[in-house]
Amino acid sequence: MAASTGADKPTVREIFTSMQYGPAPEAANIAQAWLDSHERSFGHFVGGKWIKPDGRQTYATKNPATGETLATTIQGNEEDVEFAVSTARKAFESWSKLPCHVRARYLYSIARTIQKHQRLLSVVESMDNGKPIRESRDCDVPLVVRHFYHHAGWAQLRDTEMNGWKPLGVVAAIVPWNFPLMLLTWKICPALAMGNTVVLKPATYTRLTALLLAEICTEAGLPPGVFNVVTGNGAFGEKLAVHPDVDKVAFTGSTEVGRILRRATAGSGKKLSLELGGKSPFIVFDTADLDSAVEGVVDAIWFNQGQVCSAGSRLLMQESIAEDLIRRLKQRMTHLRVGDSLDKTIDMGALVDESQMKTITEFVEEARSERAEVFQTPGPLPKKGFFYPPTLITGVDTTSRCVREEIFGPVLVAMTFRTAKEAIALGNNTPYGLAASVWTENLPLALEVALSMKAGTVWINGHNMFDAAAGFGGYKESGYGRDGGKEGLFEYVRPSWEDRPRPNPGDVNYKTFAVTYGADLPPIPGQKQVNLSVIQIQDSEIPSVDRTFKLYYGGAQKRPDGMYSRPIYNSDGVVVAYVSDSNRKDVRNAVEAAHKAAPGWGKRAAHNRAQIVYYMAENLELRRNEVAQRLSTLNGQSIEKSQQEVDLSIQRLFYWGAYCDKYGGSVQETLLYGATVLIREPVGVVGIACPDESPLLSFVSLFAPAIVRGNAVVVIPSEKFPLPALDFYQVFDTSDLPGGVVNILTGGRDHLAKYLVEHQDVQAMWYFGSEQGSKFVEWSSAENCKRAWVNYGLTRVWEDTQQGSGEEFLYHATQCKNIWIPMGEIFAN
C-alpha cells in the first residue's frame, strides 16, 4: 500500500524500513492545458482543420480512473461521413502521385514531431483510457514512433519492394478503445506509406489521442485531407465502412463487430482486414524457469488491466509443476498495485468503463457459482473510478464459459496438462487464434509447439512483445490480415492491373440463394441431342465404351450421394457427357477427406511437394493432344488455341512447383535481442469455385498455388466445361499426389459454393463466378470469419501472367505466423 500522507506521513527511516511505495504522480498540467486550449470541446478533424457542424449531439469523454469529465466530442452523422470521405478522395489524387521519397519524408517528419510531444501523448492516453502512465509512456507511444519510422522506410521503397502493386484509395480505419493511439498507428502508417488516404473513426470511449495525433500530423506538414479523424458511435462507424467511395476497411475490435462489418461490406468490392478477439494460451512446461514464467503471466494478463486482445488469459501448466507455479503466482499477485493511472508506481489502472467492469464481474461470479476457485488479491481498491482486482480462477474445465469466451479483463483461468500433445490440443481448443506463448528452456520443444499452435503470433519465454517489423494478426475467428511488417503492406494495395471492383449485385436472399439442387440443368433423357461416341474397328463403327465421370475425393472416384447427373453441352448445344451432380453431403465427404490429408501434406518437405507438381506437368503433357481435343470439342475454339491452353497449364504447373520451397518465410528485423521468424503457413482446407473462362488453365491456376503452399483443396471446376478438370483424375493418380489433397466436385457452382462457404471447417473460400455469388460468399464467410477471395463477377485473362499468377495468389494461399525467440544466455543484450 502507498505510504500515508499529511500528519501520518512516514519518515525517511520508516520508508527505508518498510520499503513501501509512495505515490509518484505524473503531472497532468500540460494535458489539461491542451484540453483547455480547445475549450474542452472537439469536433471532427478533416482536411487539416477542425470542423464542428451545427446540430450534432455530443459525447462526454471521462477519465475512468477518477470520473472527471475531460472534454466533449461530437457524434457524427452521414453528412459528416460524406464530407470526410470526399475530402480524403480529393487528397488521394495528389498524395498517391507523390514520389516515394516525398511520402517517406512526411512520415519521417511525423515520427520526429510525435517525439517532440511524446510525454503529452502519454499523459492524454492514460487519462483517456485509464491505463498506467508507465505503459503508455514506455510501451504505447514508443511503438507509435517506431511504426512511423519503420513505415517511412517502406514509403521510400514502395516502388521496388512492392513492384506490381498500387494503392487502394480511401481507407476507413476503425479502432478500439484498449490501445487507442497505438492501434490507429498500425492502420494509418502502412496505408499512408503505400499512397492511400485515411478516414479514422476512433472508439467511442477514447477519442482524444486520435484528435491530438491529427493536430500533430498537421504540425508535421502532412497535406490536408491525407489523414482525417471523425467521431461518432458504432452505427456511425458502420456508415463510414459502407460508404461507396471507401475502398478499404481496416478494423480492430470484437469478433462480433467484425462479423457485422464483413456482412455490411459483402459484395461491395471493398478490401477488408479484421484483427479480432482472442483467448490466448500461456503454456508452461516443467522445463520452464518458473520465476520467469510468473513474471510473464503478469505481462500477459495484467498488462493494460487485461484489456488486450492477445492477453494470455488461459494458463496451461504441466501437471508436475502446477501446484508450485500457482503458489508462486498467488504470492506475486499480492504485490500487484492497483491505482490511479497517472501514478507511476502502479501496476494496473482503471477499466475503461463501468459496462466493462460489469461484464468482467459477471464472468467471475458465474465461475464462482460453478464452484471454481476464485483468488483475488487482498486490499482495498480506489473508491473512485472503475477498478477490478487481479483475479485467478482454478478448478475449471474446457466447457466453462470463462475458459471459452474472451473476458477482456484482469482475469486468468488456469488448467493443467500432462503431455505436449495434450498442451497443443488444449491450446488450439478455441475458435480464436490470435496469439500464444510457450515457456520452456527446451528449444526444440518450444519450436515444435510454436509451429503446432494455430495462432498468428507465438512468443517463446515472453508475451505481448510487438514491433513494427513483425506483422500481428489472427487465425480462425481472430480475423485475417496483418498489422506491421512487409506482410502488413499487402492489406493496403491491389495488383497494378486491377481496378477497384464496383459490382452491383442487388439484393441477395441469403436463406434461399442457390439452395435448389439439380433444377438448373435437369438431366431428363431425350431433351437434347446426345453426341454418341464411336470407334472404328476394321471396316465397322461400334460404340465406344461409355465413360462415367464421377466425383473425386480422398484419392478415389466416387458416385454422387444424390445419384443424379447433369448434362454437359458443347458449343453447338449437343450433350457431350454427363457428370455427377454433387450435393451438400458430397461437400461434407470431400471436406473430411481434405482434412485427413492436410496435416501430412503441410508437413511434407517442400522439395517433395515440388516434385509431385512437376510430375503433374509431365503427365499432363503426355495427354496434351487428348485434352486439347476435348477442350476444342467443348467450347468450339480451334485445336491450336486449345493446345495453347494445355501448354500454358503445363507452364503454370512448373511456375507453381518452383514456389514450393521459395515462399516459406523470413527473419524479421525487430527490436528483439533474438530472432523473430516469419513462417508462411498453409491456410488449411480451401474451397475453390472455378470460372468458365479458360476451364483448364483457370483450374490449374487456382488449385496449384493452394497446394504448393501446403493446403488441401475442394475444387468446383467450371460449371459449363468441367471435363478438362476431370481428366486430371488420372494425372493426380499417376503423379503420386496423396489422396485428399485435391478433391473435385462437379455440379452447380453456386449450390456447392454455398455449402463450402457455410462449412465451419473450411478455412478459406475462393469464388470466381457471379456478382450475386460473390456477395453471398463474402456475407456467409462472416459466420466463422473465414477468408474469402471473390471476383465480383469480373473475368480475368488467365493467359496473362499478371492476372493468372503472381504474389496475389501466394497471399491468399498462406497465413503469416511470427515466432519470437529471445536470447540472453551469454549476453544480456
Side-chain angles (χ1 to χ4, degrees):
M1 299 300 295
S4 58
T5 59
D8 298 327
K9 185 175 181 179
T11 66
V12 173
R13 180 184 292 276
E14 289 170 338
I15 292 173
F16 274 92
T17 300
S18 67
M19 295 302 289
Q20 287 184 325
Y21 285 101
E26 174 76 28
N29 55 316
I30 303 300
Q32 299 287 5
W34 176 71
L35 294 170
D36 290 338
S37 72
H38 290 277
E39 299 178 342
R40 296 181 180 265
S41 177
F42 294 87
H44 307 305
F45 197 90
V46 179
K49 58 186 177 180
W50 292 102
I51 305 294
K52 193 179 287 185
D54 294 332
R56 302 293 187 269
Q57 293 181 341
T58 60
Y59 176 84
T61 294
K62 297 183 178 182
N63 183 336
T66 64
E68 166 198 6
T69 297
L70 300 174
T72 60
T73 53
I74 64 173
Q75 300 283 70
N77 62 17
E78 289 187 25
E79 183 181 335
D80 302 334
V81 170
E82 184 64 41
F83 178 68
V85 173
S86 62
T87 301
R89 175 60 61 186
K90 183 178 179 181
F92 173 73
E93 299 306 317
S94 55
W95 176 253
S96 61
K97 294 183 175 71
L98 288 176
C100 291
H101 177 64
V102 175
R103 275 196 302 274
R105 281 176 174 252
Y106 279 120
L107 267 68
Y108 181 83
S109 179
I110 294 171
R112 301 289 275 185
T113 308
I114 289 172
Q115 287 182 304
K116 296 170 187 174
H117 301 290
Q118 193 160 339
R119 197 72 168 209
L120 172 61
L121 281 163
S122 301
V123 175
V124 173
E125 185 81 331
S126 287
M127 293 170 62
D128 196 21
N129 168 273
K131 66 174 59 187
I133 182 65
R134 203 160 43 86
E135 293 178 4
S136 56
R137 180 196 65 199
D138 299 340
C139 177
D140 293 18
V141 177
L143 263 174
V144 168
V145 174
R146 165 74 172 139
H147 270 264
F148 273 103
Y149 277 131
H150 180 77
H151 285 92
W154 283 123
Q156 176 71 46
L157 299 173
R158 191 199 72 178
D159 285 354
T160 53
E161 292 294 320
M162 298 297 288
N163 185 32
W165 300 86
K166 66 181 182 182
L168 298 167
V170 176
V171 174
I174 303 173
V175 295
W177 47 258
N178 57 331
F179 291 91
L181 182 61
M182 188 175 80
L183 291 180
L184 75 85
T185 305
W186 291 10
K187 311 297 184 191
I188 69 172
C189 286
L192 299 185
M194 294 297 100
N196 304 280
T197 54
V198 177
V199 179
L200 170 78
K201 188 264 175 192
T204 299
Y205 297 145
T206 52
R207 305 174 176 186
L208 298 182
T209 44
L211 296 167
L212 174 54
L213 180 65
E215 275 193 325
I216 289 172
C217 289
T218 298
E219 182 181 304
L222 190 69
V226 173
F227 174 49
N228 311 275
V229 180
V230 291
T231 57
N233 58 19
F236 176 75
E238 185 173 346
K239 289 184 176 68
L240 173 62
V242 301
H243 190 285
D245 217 17
V246 165
D247 302 291
K248 152 83 182 187
V249 178
F251 173 75
T252 295
S254 70
T255 299
E256 179 184 357
V257 176
R259 288 192 180 101
I260 292 171
L261 286 175
R262 172 67 284 180
R263 288 170 177 148
T265 58
S268 64
K270 300 177 193 292
K271 201 164 185 175
L272 177 69
S273 57
L274 301 173
E275 196 261 277
L276 307 176
K279 194 72 177 177
S280 302
F282 186 105
I283 306 172
V284 185
F285 287 94
D286 58 9
T287 48
D289 178 338
L290 296 189
D291 287 332
S292 295
V294 167
E295 291 306 311
V297 170
V298 173
D299 290 335
I301 186 60
W302 294 306
F303 173 60
N304 196 27
Q305 300 74 253
Q307 299 169 136
V308 185
C309 51
S310 59
S313 54
R314 289 189 297 143
L315 174 60
L316 305 178
M317 311 164 288
Q318 197 148 23
E319 243 178 33
S320 57
I321 50 95
E323 184 177 342
D324 188 14
L325 183 60
I326 291 296
R327 179 185 57 79
R328 296 182 194 219
L329 185 57
K330 287 180 177 179
Q331 177 64 25
R332 180 65 177 88
M333 289 172 68
T334 63
H335 296 285
L336 294 174
R337 304 180 73 246
V338 181
D340 191 309
S341 57
L342 292 185
D343 186 342
K344 293 188 281 287
T345 67
I346 62 104
D347 299 294
M348 275 178 47
L351 301 172
V352 74
D353 184 74
E354 185 178 12
S355 62
Q356 185 68 11
M357 189 164 72
K358 181 180 178 183
T359 300
I360 295 167
T361 303
E362 287 175 355
F363 269 102
V364 173
E365 293 308 313
E366 181 178 327
R368 203 190 302 271
S369 69
E370 295 174 349
R371 299 186 178 181
E373 180 186 332
V374 177
F375 176 82
Q376 294 179 317
T377 53
L381 297 173
K383 294 180 180 179
K384 288 184 178 180
F386 309 119
F387 294 92
Y388 198 86
T391 302
L392 170 65
I393 302 177
T394 54
V396 294
D397 56 43
T398 56
T399 61
S400 300
R401 182 166 169 251
C402 62
V403 174
R404 292 182 290 107
E405 298 184 22
E406 185 178 33
I407 299 175
F408 220 63
V411 180
L412 177 68
V413 296
M415 302 173 62
T416 61
F417 64 87
R418 293 181 180 178
T419 66
K421 283 186 177 180
E422 186 183 1
I424 292 167
L426 286 171
N428 288 329
N429 185 29
T430 172
Y432 299 110
L434 191 57
S437 62
V438 183
W439 294 78
T440 175
E441 297 297 296
N442 183 339
L443 184 58
L445 172 64
L447 289 175
E448 190 168 12
V449 174
L451 287 169
S452 300
M453 298 310 300
K454 300 300 182 184
T457 299
V458 182
W459 299 284
I460 293 175
N461 295 330
H463 203 99
N464 281 336
M465 295 183 286
F466 309 102
D467 189 78
F472 182 80
Y475 288 17
K476 301 188 287 186
E477 292 187 23
S478 289
Y480 39 80
R482 294 293 180 265
D483 293 322
K486 184 176 182 180
E487 58 268 36
L489 302 180
F490 291 98
E491 305 305 323
Y492 298 94
V493 292
R494 70 172 80 254
S496 297
W497 62 266
E498 184 183 58
D499 293 325
R500 153 77 192 271
R502 294 189 179 274
N504 184 26
D507 293 331
V508 173
N509 188 322
Y510 300 112
K511 289 186 177 180
T512 61
F513 179 82
V515 297
T516 306
Y517 165 62
D520 52 342
L521 285 175
I524 303 173
Q527 302 299 303
K528 290 280 187 177
Q529 179 183 350
V530 178
N531 184 21
L532 297 176
S533 178
V534 296
I535 60 172
Q536 187 84 24
I537 294 183
Q538 295 180 351
D539 295 329
S540 61
E541 287 185 346
I542 63 172
S544 59
V545 176
D546 179 72
R547 181 176 179 184
T548 301
F549 291 95
K550 299 178 183 178
L551 308 179
Y552 184 80
Y553 57 83
Q557 298 187 46
K558 308 281 187 176
R559 293 193 182 277
D561 172 81
M563 303 302 287
Y564 277 113
S565 301
R566 59 188 293 118
I568 301 301
Y569 303 103
N570 65 15
S571 56
D572 297 324
V574 176
V575 176
V576 294
Y578 282 95
V579 298
S580 298
D581 203 3
S582 308
N583 64 16
R584 63 190 305 171
K585 289 187 178 179
D586 298 310
V587 170
R588 177 199 64 191
N589 295 340
V591 171
E592 286 181 1
H595 268 289
K596 287 180 181 178
W601 179 246
K603 290 180 180 178
R604 277 199 180 216
H607 173 73
N608 182 258
R609 290 200 302 267
Q611 293 303 304
I612 290 172
V613 175
Y614 291 141
Y615 205 2
M616 290 180 195
E618 177 184 335
N619 286 314
L620 178 59
E621 186 166 79
L622 290 175
R623 307 182 64 181
R624 176 177 180 265
N625 293 333
E626 174 194 347
V627 175
Q629 184 61 56
R630 192 184 303 282
L631 268 172
S632 181
T633 301
L634 278 173
N635 55 24
Q637 65 188 14
S638 67
I639 190 67
E640 291 79 12
K641 188 169 178 57
S642 296
Q643 287 175 335
Q644 183 182 17
E645 183 172 343
V646 176
D647 294 339
L648 285 172
S649 299
I650 295 167
Q651 289 181 30
R652 202 64 49 90
L653 286 168
F654 256 75
Y655 174 87
W656 289 120
Y659 266 111
C660 279
D661 56 1
K662 298 176 183 65
Y663 200 71
S666 60
V667 175
Q668 311 276 47
E669 297 187 81
T670 67
L671 299 181
L672 176 74
Y673 180 60
T676 305
V677 181
L678 167 65
I679 308 290
R680 289 192 172 93
E681 293 191 327
V683 177
V685 173
V686 179
I688 302 175
C690 298
D692 290 329
E693 310 87 47
S694 305
L696 176 64
L697 182 58
S698 61
F699 170 74
V700 170
S701 299
L702 288 168
F703 89 76
I707 68 166
V708 300
R709 295 311 317 158
N711 301 283
V713 297
V714 179
V715 188
I716 309 164
S718 163
E719 183 174 327
K720 287 178 63 178
F721 308 121
L723 301 187
L726 306 191
D727 285 328
F728 256 83
Y729 293 179
Q730 286 80 17
V731 172
F732 293 145
D733 289 343
T734 54
S735 302
D736 298 332
L737 181 72
V741 173
V742 177
N743 308 276
I744 301 176
L745 301 179
T746 52
R749 180 190 299 111
D750 288 347
H751 180 72
L752 296 176
K754 169 185 172 63
Y755 294 112
L756 275 172
V757 73
E758 289 178 349
H759 198 293
Q760 293 295 303
D761 216 8
V762 170
Q763 282 68 53
M765 184 69 206
W766 301 357
Y767 176 89
F768 290 80
S770 66
E771 290 183 345
Q772 294 76 18
S774 297
K775 182 176 182 179
F776 177 83
V777 165
E778 288 193 328
W779 189 90
S780 299
S781 70
E783 183 61 31
N784 69 340
C785 300
K786 62 166 56 72
R787 292 170 62 175
W789 180 23
V790 302
N791 70 332
Y792 302 107
L794 301 174
T795 60
R796 289 188 177 223
V797 181
W798 293 96
E799 296 84 356
D800 187 321
T801 55
Q802 285 188 318
Q803 298 187 36
S805 61
E807 197 164 14
E808 179 189 15
F809 291 77
L810 294 169
Y811 164 82
H812 287 287
T814 58
Q815 51 189 354
C816 296
K817 171 188 286 183
N818 278 290
I819 301 176
W820 294 64
I821 311 168
M823 299 188 302
E825 191 73 22
I826 303 172
F827 305 105
N829 201 333

